[in-house]
Amino acid sequence: FDRRGYPPGQHGQRRRGKLSDYGIQLREKQKVKRLYGLSEKQFRNFFEIADRGKGITGIRLLASLERRLDNTVYRLGFSNSRTQGRHFVLHKHFEVNGHYVNIPSFLVKIGDVIQVQEKSRELQAIKDSLDAVVRRGIPQWLELDKDNMRGIVKALPVREDITMPIQEQLIVELYSK
């Protein structure tokens, strides 16, 4: 069958105007929010914390989003997606420095040890994810001990560790209005 270059329906062929600067900035913010699975309020709070600190706001924002526990679990390869990582964290499958943490937005620090809880080590989903992490790779700021199902935060994430095509400057411009 025939694939058209426009949506179906009566108005599918109408011309789409170019996005305004605001539209481009908004799209970028929405993309990052969706990527990390955050609500508007959570994202805004992360931005305000990044804005208050020293350094480049956009890079600080991305670094703090990367340090979230649900994202760190995903980056270490204990889950196949950030959403699954969030789910695992909420169900207390992980310990940070020997304590159960069920808060997906928990920010990991240098030296933190994240490990799969003893009872959860037999979960097939976690085992499958660990097998798949070889293809995805682990960022420089994390270290994975696959046999003991534990990861260590070696350093704070830097811009080079974030490989997704994110233009953080657009987000900063949007919130600076």
Side-chain angles (χ1 to χ4, degrees):
F1 64 101
D2 179 36
R3 204 125 169 88
R4 298 181 186 89
Y6 50 85
Q10 183 177 358
H11 304 292
Q13 294 182 61
R14 75 161 195 237
R15 289 182 51 147
R16 299 233 180 258
K18 282 176 55 181
L19 277 177
S20 64
D21 285 348
Y22 174 78
I24 292 168
Q25 293 165 354
L26 186 63
R27 276 271 161 81
E28 194 65 22
K29 181 198 70 163
Q30 300 291 58
K31 177 175 84 176
V32 174
K33 258 177 51 181
R34 226 167 276 121
L35 199 66
Y36 286 100
L38 302 177
S39 69
E40 179 62 39
K41 186 174 178 121
Q42 287 172 310
F43 192 79
R44 184 65 181 226
N45 288 340
F46 269 102
F47 179 81
E48 286 171 3
I49 291 167
D51 200 25
R52 272 186 251 132
K54 288 187 176 79
I56 301 166
T57 304
I59 293 172
R60 285 180 52 85
L61 171 67
L62 290 180
S64 60
L65 290 173
E66 279 290 301
R67 285 176 45 214
R68 285 173 52 99
L69 184 57
D70 55 357
N71 182 69
T72 308
V73 163
Y74 164 69
R75 291 295 203 170
L76 282 167
F78 294 130
S79 69
N80 287 321
S81 66
R82 288 180 180 85
T83 312
Q84 189 181 41
R86 180 183 189 86
H87 185 81
F88 286 164
V89 170
L90 282 167
H91 287 272
K92 292 187 177 178
H93 290 301
F94 293 97
E95 298 173 3
V96 177
N97 299 329
H99 300 284
Y100 298 120
V101 178
N102 66 339
I103 301 162
S105 62
F106 177 87
L107 290 180
V108 296
K109 301 180 295 296
I110 296 173
D112 279 357
V113 177
I114 299 134
Q115 65 183 19
V116 180
Q117 181 197 344
E118 209 56 54
K119 287 187 285 187
S120 308
R121 289 176 188 240
E122 297 306 312
L123 278 178
Q124 196 57 47
I126 293 178
K127 287 180 179 176
D128 292 345
S129 301
L130 273 172
D131 293 338
V133 77
V134 179
R135 291 190 301 279
R136 195 171 63 220
I138 296 168
Q140 300 282 315
W141 61 283
L142 294 171
E143 184 181 306
L144 175 66
D145 177 2
K146 208 169 167 180
D147 300 330
N148 296 322
M149 289 193 173
R150 58 192 276 161
I152 300 168
V153 181
K154 293 193 300 188
L156 294 179
V158 292
R159 182 63 184 102
E160 289 72 41
D161 294 328
I162 303 159
T163 54
M164 293 150 307
I166 297 173
Q167 296 174 293
E168 65 275 3
Q169 191 52 42
L170 294 174
I171 299 167
V172 175
E173 288 170 14
L174 176 72
Y175 278 130
S176 299
K177 289 184 176 181

